[in-house]
Amino acid sequence: MGNISYTAHVSNKKSAITSKSKLAGVAKHNLRKYKSSDYSKDNIFIVYGTSNLIDDVKTVYHKEFDEALEEYNKKQTRPDRRIEDYFEHVAGKEQDMAVEIIIQIGDREFWKQYDDMKSYIKLSYEIILGEFIKRLPGFVVANAVVHLDEDSPHMHIVGVPVADGYKKGLSKQVSKRKVFTKEVLSRVLQDELREVANKEVNDWFGEQIKAKSKGRNNDLSVTEYKVAQESRKLEEIQQQNNEEQAKNTRLRSSNASISYQIATQEKKHDRNIDMIAADEDRLERVRDNIDAAENEYAKYADMITDKKNKLEMLTSKENELVERTKIAENVYDMFRHGGDDDVREKLIDVMYENQRLQKENKSLKELLEKAYDFMKQFVIDGVNLLEKFMESVRKVMERLSPKTK
């Protein structure tokens, strides 16, 4: 035999269907009568019965027990001993009113390799169901569903175990104990159906079913099976959760790094804004200084121009007086040994006027030098105010002087 698993799980103890509410719970799970992100209603297939499992079970009860029920009721002389509905009667006795069997071929690891072939196994489960019905006629199947929406495809079979030959009560009754004997569990579920499953696996996948474990007539109960399935699902969820937590840790670390970078950039941005504001303040002060310098320049330019004009006029007068002084000195030389008092007096006036003009001229020169020194303190576009002023004076002089031909 090979390594592919085969399991048959029979409802028992906690998973036993002993009431209508438990039967409804089985129907809800098998036919996906609820909303869940873990399962897909589109990937379950009813291979026997209808979409109403409870009605399917009731149909089996009527078909199998109505005749025996009628015979029983005819024998009763007391009305209180009669049974109106055998389905309701069994449901109220807390006994196995139906049995669920789960058959699974291959485990999760196997189906990871053949995930794209899950739909084919549905045909194999239909064949296994047909063989099961033939080999165990005492178990009357009411409903069978194949689930392809879980890690490992499997089949849920719900039916009624029917036994006859009873002396008390109905001649035909529901009896899990009589139908599912140890011999039946070992021969039919574990041996014969295993061989059927082995042929299907070999035909589809070229694989073999592994041999039955010694000392076992059946595998896990339905409850144990479902607990095992949920445990595997829980392990997967836990693994996914761990992966998500690791991813979230990486994301938080990345977010922290990004937040730090953003904070750093914001600080740099704030510093740059402060620097820009400071530069703007400095620029504004420079502009104010330039405006003040230009105002001072305009004021001193006008003043210097006036002083220069006056200086030029005084220089002209000085030159004139120098000439007159020279003449007066010559005249004085002529008359110092004699001459008219009036002439001498005029010569003295001329000499005095000459001395006064020289002092005034010197005072104007000093004032002009101070103005020049002041203008040198202000620089606009790399040129001080004095140079600009002299350039403007030069242009004015060129404009006023007669053009030479």
Side-chain angles (χ1 to χ4, degrees):
M1 302 295 282
N3 296 315
I4 308 306
S5 65
Y6 162 85
T7 54
H9 314 273
V10 181
S11 58
N12 188 27
K13 296 181 180 178
K14 290 184 178 180
S15 64
I17 305 174
T18 56
S19 65
K20 288 192 291 184
S21 62
K22 288 187 176 181
L23 181 62
V26 171
K28 187 176 182 180
H29 172 81
N30 292 4
L31 298 170
R32 301 295 192 239
K33 299 290 186 178
Y34 54 86
K35 293 181 180 179
S36 173
S37 59
D38 293 334
Y39 305 110
S40 170
K41 193 173 182 179
D42 296 333
N43 285 314
I44 68 164
F45 299 92
I46 300 172
V47 295
Y48 196 96
T50 70
S51 60
N52 193 322
L53 185 149
I54 295 176
D55 283 351
D56 291 342
V57 173
K58 287 182 178 180
T59 299
V60 171
Y61 266 78
H62 287 302
K63 181 180 178 181
E64 296 296 328
F65 303 113
D66 276 0
E67 184 177 343
L69 178 63
E70 186 178 358
E71 290 177 358
Y72 170 78
N73 285 334
K74 284 180 180 180
K75 295 178 182 179
Q76 305 306 313
T77 57
R78 290 172 49 184
D80 62 322
R81 290 184 177 273
R82 293 175 183 173
I83 299 173
E84 295 296 329
D85 188 312
Y86 188 59
F87 174 84
E88 297 292 339
H89 174 74
V90 175
K93 292 179 69 175
E94 286 296 318
Q95 71 175 69
D96 289 274
M97 61 182 298
V99 173
E100 180 181 27
I101 298 170
I102 301 174
I103 296 175
Q104 177 176 306
I105 298 172
D107 57 15
R108 179 174 57 179
E109 296 304 317
F110 172 77
W111 286 108
K112 281 183 178 179
Q113 303 175 51
Y114 296 103
D115 185 68
D116 57 339
M117 296 183 67
K118 280 185 177 180
S119 60
Y120 298 120
I121 203 67
K122 179 176 76 72
L123 301 174
S124 297
Y125 282 129
E126 290 177 359
I127 292 171
I128 292 171
L129 177 64
E131 291 297 322
F132 181 43
I133 291 172
K134 286 192 299 183
R135 295 166 192 270
L136 190 61
F139 181 65
V140 182
V141 175
N143 186 280
V145 180
V146 174
H147 286 179
L148 300 182
D149 59 345
E150 297 183 50
D151 290 339
S152 301
H154 53 272
M155 177 168 59
H156 293 260
I157 305 170
V158 177
V160 181
V162 179
D164 55 13
Y166 288 91
K167 301 301 182 181
K168 285 187 176 182
L170 277 68
S171 61
K172 185 187 286 189
Q173 298 180 24
V174 174
S175 178
K176 177 185 176 185
R177 181 176 58 83
K178 281 192 174 184
V179 174
F180 288 98
T181 63
K182 288 184 178 181
E183 186 273 333
V184 167
L185 292 173
S186 178
R187 176 178 54 82
V188 178
L189 288 179
Q190 290 300 322
D191 295 337
E192 296 177 359
L193 292 187
R194 184 182 296 271
E195 287 299 323
V196 177
N198 185 65
K199 182 178 183 305
E200 292 300 312
V201 168
N202 187 54
D203 289 345
W204 285 116
F205 309 105
E207 302 275 2
Q208 295 287 320
I209 296 290
K210 61 184 176 182
K212 179 181 72 171
S213 299
K214 291 183 179 181
R216 297 205 62 161
N217 292 325
N218 66 302
D219 295 291
L220 300 175
S221 70
V222 168
T223 297
E224 291 171 322
Y225 169 79
K226 290 181 178 178
V227 168
Q229 292 290 87
E230 291 303 319
S231 295
R232 284 196 293 269
K233 188 173 292 294
L234 182 61
E235 288 176 2
E236 290 180 355
I237 292 172
Q238 186 62 46
Q239 183 177 355
Q240 292 174 1
N241 184 51
N242 291 340
E243 291 174 356
E244 289 298 322
Q245 285 182 346
K247 187 186 296 182
N248 288 338
T249 300
R250 291 194 297 270
L251 287 174
R252 283 196 297 269
S253 177
S254 177
N255 288 340
S257 176
I258 292 172
S259 298
Y260 174 76
Q261 294 177 21
I262 291 174
T264 302
Q265 291 299 323
E266 286 178 345
K267 287 181 180 179
K268 288 182 179 179
H269 178 66
D270 292 340
R271 285 198 300 270
N272 289 337
I273 289 177
D274 292 339
M275 291 174 64
I276 291 171
D279 289 341
E280 287 180 347
D281 290 340
R282 285 194 293 271
L283 181 59
E284 189 64 30
R285 288 196 297 271
V286 170
R287 286 173 178 163
D288 292 341
N289 291 336
I290 291 173
D291 291 341
E294 288 179 345
N295 292 334
E296 290 294 326
Y297 168 75
K299 182 173 68 175
Y300 278 94
D302 292 342
M303 182 185 72
I304 291 170
T305 301
D306 292 341
K307 295 297 181 181
K308 185 173 180 61
N309 292 335
K310 189 173 182 180
L311 179 61
E312 289 175 351
M313 181 182 67
L314 291 173
T315 301
S316 177
K317 285 184 178 181
E318 181 184 12
N319 293 334
E320 180 182 348
L321 287 172
V322 168
E323 293 298 325
R324 289 177 62 189
T325 301
K326 289 179 180 180
I327 295 170
E329 287 176 349
N330 292 330
V331 172
Y332 180 76
D333 287 337
M334 292 171 59
F335 289 96
R336 63 181 172 177
H337 299 294
D340 189 274
D341 290 334
D342 185 45
V343 172
R344 284 196 304 270
E345 195 65 37
K346 287 182 179 180
L347 285 173
I348 291 170
D349 291 340
V350 170
M351 292 174 69
Y352 175 78
E353 181 66 18
N354 179 49
Q355 185 178 2
R356 188 185 65 78
L357 286 174
Q358 285 179 345
K359 289 182 180 180
E360 186 175 350
N361 185 34
K362 181 180 180 182
S363 175
L364 287 172
K365 283 183 178 180
E366 290 176 352
L367 180 61
L368 195 59
E369 287 175 358
K370 288 181 180 180
Y372 288 163
D373 291 337
F374 176 80
M375 284 192 292
K376 287 178 182 178
Q377 298 176 18
F378 296 95
V379 178
I380 300 175
D381 296 333
V383 181
N384 61 49
L385 289 179
L386 178 60
E387 292 174 349
K388 283 197 169 191
F389 170 73
M390 298 305 294
E391 178 65 20
S392 63
V393 170
R394 184 184 62 78
K395 291 180 180 179
V396 172
M397 295 302 293
E398 289 178 352
R399 190 169 60 252
L400 296 177
S401 63
K403 295 181 180 178
T404 59
K405 295 184 179 179

